[in-house]
Amino acid sequence: MHKLQQVTEKFLRGRGHDRLTTEEIGLLETTVDRIRDLPARQIVVRAGQRVSESSMLLNGFMCRYMDDRAGYRQLVAIQVPGDFVDLHALPLERLDHDVATVGPVRIATWTHEALEQLIAPRPHLTRMLWFSTLLDAAIHREWIFRLGRLDADGRVAHFMCEMKTRLDMVGLVEGDRFALPFKQADLAEACGLTVVHVNRVLRSLRERELLVFRSGIATIVNWPKLVALAEFDPSYLYIQPSTELPAVSVGSR
């Protein structure tokens, strides 16, 4: 077990962590190649770069993004503690997007050689790591829905509902408040909006007493109404039924 912390403590928490055996957890822990602290706004992997290792986020937030020809960034994923950031690079060997830190982070890294040796004789562990990447794919599909079908208020509301739910699963929500060290530009790039539009949306959500986002802290004022506005259905997160999270009740889309 790594002396700094239990590296896999948050991995798949609330979504299948208890399906990992004690042996599998121990093997993942003892084969960590290194643990690194990285500063905010640092590119970790560039698109097209050959990748020979994969990392799990232990603390902080990271993002995956793509740039258009003019250099404008579109966030395509946000990673929270417990997420494997680039596990899909194991079979792909390179990524089609950049990976960067949002705020300061701590990551644990496994070489692909070590992961290959781990999973080769262990089909159950292979399925669990595959399951982790499939959860990422489910979130990607929901982000497509959000960008394609929701208006500006709904997009930001949905993003905040998702962040609260995912952070709740790994024990990083206190009451109705959670830290989200994002600038309005980050929210704009995640929601397909301009910074000016995001500013208006946040003001609207605050005035309607649904959400307050200030100085990197999000406070949910009225969860049921925020969920309704967002058309937020957390089924795409594949939360285990036994996990205690805020109740969500929405109609069919």
Side-chain angles (χ1 to χ4, degrees), residues 41-236:
R41 311 288 163 173
Q42 177 170 312
I43 296 175
V44 181
V45 181
R46 287 194 178 275
Q49 172 186 331
R50 187 170 182 83
V51 182
S52 61
E53 59 185 23
S54 290
S55 299
M56 181 185 294
L57 180 59
L58 305 182
N59 293 312
F61 293 83
M62 296 179 71
C63 66
R64 303 186 216 164
Y65 68 93
M66 304 174 76
D67 290 325
D68 66 14
R69 293 178 181 177
Y72 291 104
R73 189 174 71 160
Q74 176 67 46
L75 299 189
V76 296
I78 296 294
Q79 312 300 150
V80 304
D83 289 350
F84 256 110
V85 179
D86 50 5
L87 185 59
H88 48 300
L90 175 60
L92 294 175
E93 298 183 348
R94 64 179 180 85
L95 301 180
D96 50 49
H97 54 272
D98 294 332
V99 177
T101 63
V102 178
V105 305
R106 171 169 288 187
I107 60 174
T109 301
W110 287 258
T111 66
H112 285 175
E113 181 181 1
L115 287 174
E116 293 281 8
Q117 291 176 358
L118 273 182
I119 64 179
R122 299 177 179 87
H124 180 261
L125 180 57
T126 302
R127 286 196 300 272
M128 294 305 295
L129 295 179
W130 185 23
F131 176 64
S132 172
T133 63
L134 292 176
L135 291 175
D136 279 344
I139 293 174
H140 284 314
R141 288 190 290 273
E142 189 72 9
W143 278 42
I144 293 171
F145 162 78
R146 184 180 75 214
L147 293 175
R149 287 301 177 190
L150 297 181
D151 62 15
D153 286 16
R155 292 181 194 183
V156 175
H158 189 286
F159 181 82
M160 290 296 185
C161 287
E162 179 183 300
M163 287 296 102
K164 183 178 190 296
T165 304
R166 291 172 65 187
L167 291 172
D168 226 352
M169 282 191 282
V170 292
L172 296 176
V173 174
E174 295 184 5
D176 294 317
R177 291 163 55 90
F178 55 95
L180 194 65
F182 284 26
K183 300 177 181 178
Q184 289 191 11
D186 298 322
L187 295 180
E189 291 165 351
C191 297
L193 303 168
T194 66
V195 175
V196 171
H197 208 161
V198 166
N199 185 273
R200 292 172 182 165
V201 169
L202 291 175
R203 183 172 65 247
S204 171
L205 296 177
R206 183 175 66 250
E207 291 174 348
R208 293 155 69 182
E209 298 184 341
L210 300 179
L211 166 83
V212 175
F213 181 62
R214 186 178 291 121
S215 301
I217 300 295
T219 303
I220 306 297
V221 181
N222 191 318
W223 175 251
K225 288 187 178 180
L226 191 69
V227 164
L229 174 63
E231 298 187 35
F232 180 68
D233 179 351
S235 59
Y236 70 97

